[in-house]
Amino acid sequence: MKLRFHDHAFQRCISGTCGATFDVGETLVACPRCGELLDVDYDWDRCPVPGSLREFEQAWARRHDPHAFSGVWRFHALLPFAPRELCVTIGEGQTFLQRADWVAGYVGLKPGCLFLQYEGMNPSGSFKDNGMAAAFTHARLLGAQRAACASTGNTSASLALYCAVTRLMRAVIFVGSGKIAFGKLAQALEFGALTIQIQGDFDDAMARVKEVSRELGIYLVNSVNPFRLEGQKTIMYRVLEGLRWEVPDWVVVPGGNLGNSSAFGKAFWELKQLGLIDRMPRMAIVNATGANTLSQLVNTHCVTWNGGRPNRESISQFYQAMDRENRRASTIASAIEINRPVNLSKCLRALEWCRGVVCEVSDQEILDAKAQVGMGGFGCEPASAASVAGAKRLVEQGIIGKEERVVCVLTGHQLKDPNATVAYHTTDQEVFNKVLGCRGVRRATFANRAVVVPNDLDEIIKALRLYG
Ligand code: F0G
């Protein structure tokens, strides 16, 4: 069979002053004319899009068909850049929206108002698999042999897994030294990825992987790749599915490299343009205080999308000051420990489309929220809990109303980063200080400490009487 793309899909520069278009068969991570990011776009008049979102429910009856089973490709009509039968799937996106009243109580919302979109249930344990399915589809049609990424851990775990399962490409991953949680590193190593650990942080790794892939013609799967973000749109389709196709009032998402927020904005914008939803939800993007580039740029320096002409001057001055003062991102939420988010401009666009807000939460707030998420039965990693901590803040500030319907995205699984969790609940002050104290975390507000007892039946029974 000849592998080819759909000719109603193309790539388009998002800049308000450029807008150049390119074939979907080209491998691009930026506009060759102006350097801005690219979208995958469609000539929707030539795409068979359902008349109503309910029509997607028909796929539920065809679970034997891998493309109907996939939580990404059952929405193929909304990301139709490749023929459906050629789309790569390893069973990603079996994630669903769950009502979480316990966590709602913590956040300050009325029962029935908070929902968690639990992306840790993906094959590699994070939301990245949604995007990887789409990027792999693009790479497959191009016949790529190797794929690379820089990563704070989850992208690399996902890439390594897709390579191991599909055998389509060899995985090359770049990670900063000591900057990646063990659960994620373990995955990349075990799935057989060529793992390049460089001295430096995520931003250093990102800059290098771009150079290396350009030089060696390696397919880049970071979220500067617009096909990745097409896959990540489907997280929001599943949110709508979980709400029986009703639009939530708020979507709250952690902000790192800003791929998710960019993809979510595009997902809703397209649905609105297609007449499949009647209003846009609002979006809240949550930075860790120790990695707050977006929050600083938006809230302090008032940078906006501005019709595709964001204030480049302000942005570059901010980055120059960051370098001059040697400020580097530092947070327990290592997944979002990023200085220069690559999708900044797309994210600014999403903020405008969704009347978005950006807030910051401390590592203390993140870990306390994570403990509450856990007590509610939804384990997640620290970066994911930023969404819940952020929602709590925004409710306290009156920005989110107590009776509004809020969706927090839990981006990654609890077991990705057990160090942070164990340190939070430990009785060993030294461990606490080493992992958390150094990040300004002062107390484990909701610690569930192990009870240490001698190996003696009477003592054990005494302890159970006391604590049980
Ligand atoms: N949550 C988790 C668990 C992540 O792994 C990431 C990003 C984010 C949130 C932030 O999402 O970049 O779309 O704003 N992890 C990337 C990685 C950077 O390399 O795995 P974003």
Side-chain angles (χ1 to χ4, degrees):
M1 186 189 324
K2 188 167 180 309
L3 301 187
R4 59 177 202 91
F5 294 98
H6 278 161
D7 60 6
H8 50 242
F10 53 97
Q11 303 186 68
R12 187 207 297 272
C13 171
I14 67 165
S15 162
T17 47
C18 175
T21 59
F22 306 92
D23 196 87
V24 271
E26 289 193 56
T27 316
L28 300 167
V29 291
C31 173
R33 300 222 185 123
C34 74
E36 207 11 310
L37 296 167
L38 298 166
D39 266 341
V40 179
D41 214 337
Y42 307 93
D43 182 356
W44 290 111
D45 291 339
R46 295 169 57 214
C47 304
V49 177
S52 126
L53 286 171
R54 267 178 205 284
E55 287 180 36
F56 286 107
E57 293 176 11
Q58 287 163 13
W60 298 348
R62 290 186 281 114
R63 292 175 70 83
H64 55 277
D65 165 3
H67 293 107
F69 179 71
S70 164
V72 170
W73 299 118
R74 73 168 172 268
F75 298 104
H76 177 264
L78 297 170
L79 53 154
F81 62 85
R84 189 173 175 279
E85 63 282 6
L86 296 179
C87 292
V88 174
T89 176
I90 65 165
E92 59 288 320
Q94 301 312 311
T95 67
F96 21 77
L97 192 70
Q98 308 210 31
R99 179 174 155 164
D101 284 354
W102 173 274
V103 188
Y106 176 67
V107 168
L109 289 166
K110 291 262 162 67
C113 287
L114 181 71
F115 295 82
L116 300 175
Q117 177 64 20
Y118 194 24
E119 288 299 307
M121 298 297 285
N122 271 294
S124 80
S126 86
F127 72 92
K128 303 285 181 183
D129 297 344
N130 295 282
M132 210 51 75
F136 261 61
T137 299
H138 185 240
R140 174 192 202 176
L141 268 69
L142 294 171
Q145 303 287 308
R146 282 188 294 181
C149 71
S151 184
T152 55
N154 280 324
T155 307
S156 54
S158 180
L159 169 60
L161 177 61
Y162 272 77
C163 284
V165 176
T166 65
R167 318 307 295 186
L168 284 169
M169 294 186 281
R170 171 102 165 98
V172 185
I173 67 165
F174 285 64
V175 295
S177 51
K179 291 286 180 185
I180 154 169
F182 260 30
K184 307 172 190 183
L185 183 59
Q187 288 178 291
L189 296 173
E190 194 151 80
F191 294 140
L194 171 58
T195 303
I196 314 276
Q197 211 157 18
I198 68 160
Q199 211 131 63
D201 56 17
F202 170 81
D203 296 80
D204 299 315
M206 187 72 229
R208 287 295 178 211
V209 78
K210 276 188 183 167
E211 289 169 357
V212 170
S213 21
R214 205 171 34 235
E215 192 90 358
L216 301 180
I218 303 177
Y219 188 85
L220 188 64
V221 298
N222 278 105
S223 53
V224 280
N225 176 333
F227 294 90
R228 259 256 331 255
L229 297 191
E230 288 303 287
Q232 283 170 218
K233 292 192 307 191
T234 64
I235 300 169
M236 289 301 111
Y237 304 152
R238 296 196 297 276
V239 163
L240 293 172
E241 192 173 61
L243 295 173
R244 299 315 303 261
W245 312 111
E246 284 179 19
V247 178
D249 296 309
W250 286 91
V251 172
V252 188
V253 61
N257 233 354
L258 307 177
N260 262 341
S261 42
S262 300
F264 298 171
K266 184 171 189 278
F268 287 116
W269 182 251
E270 286 171 346
L271 291 179
K272 180 81 173 32
Q273 303 306 304
L274 291 166
L276 291 168
I277 55 174
D278 56 5
R279 68 183 177 99
M280 298 288 283
R282 295 194 68 186
M283 181 154 34
I285 306 175
V286 187
N287 270 171
T289 310
N292 61 357
T293 297
L294 181 70
S295 163
Q296 286 285 308
L297 286 174
V298 170
N299 296 329
T300 308
H301 299 275
C302 302
V303 173
T304 63
W305 172 238
N306 188 30
R309 297 168 192 80
N311 190 338
R312 296 261 150 244
E313 191 69 11
S314 288
I315 298 170
S316 69
Q317 274 173 12
F318 178 81
Y319 286 147
Q320 278 163 21
M322 191 183 238
D323 289 344
R324 212 171 39 241
E325 293 155 22
N326 201 18
R327 268 187 282 128
R328 304 302 285 178
S330 171
T331 166
I332 191 70
S334 57
I336 52 174
E337 196 178 56
I338 292 172
N339 298 289
R340 289 171 153 77
V342 295
N343 286 298
L344 176 65
S345 33
K346 277 188 184 175
C347 171
L348 293 171
R349 183 179 66 172
L351 282 168
E352 183 171 300
W353 278 339
C354 297
R355 291 189 300 128
V357 297
V358 181
C359 73
E360 291 180 29
V361 290
S362 66
D363 284 5
Q364 177 79 56
E365 290 170 276
I366 288 175
L367 289 182
D368 287 343
K370 182 172 129 51
Q372 287 291 317
V373 168
M375 285 177 76
F378 305 91
C380 71
E381 63 167 289
S384 315
S387 62
V388 172
K392 180 173 164 59
R393 267 227 174 176
L394 294 167
V395 171
E396 280 163 6
Q397 292 169 354
I399 295 171
I400 295 182
K402 288 181 189 324
E403 295 187 16
E404 289 194 285
R405 208 187 234 186
V406 179
V407 172
C408 289
V409 183
L410 295 185
T411 46
H413 197 278
Q414 178 183 38
L415 299 179
K416 291 279 192 174
D417 187 1
N419 278 9
T421 312
V422 173
Y424 185 85
H425 293 286
T426 188
T427 45
D428 185 334
Q429 197 59 36
E430 217 172 295
V431 172
F432 183 90
N433 287 341
K434 189 161 162 254
V435 183
L436 306 178
C438 62
R439 299 194 179 270
V441 179
R442 292 285 159 256
R443 55 187 186 280
T445 320
F446 306 110
N448 176 24
R449 298 217 162 80
V451 179
V452 182
V453 279
N455 185 5
D456 176 282
L457 185 60
D458 289 341
E459 292 289 339
I460 293 169
I461 289 174
K462 211 158 81 189
L464 281 174
R465 290 218 170 100
L466 192 62
Y467 297 103

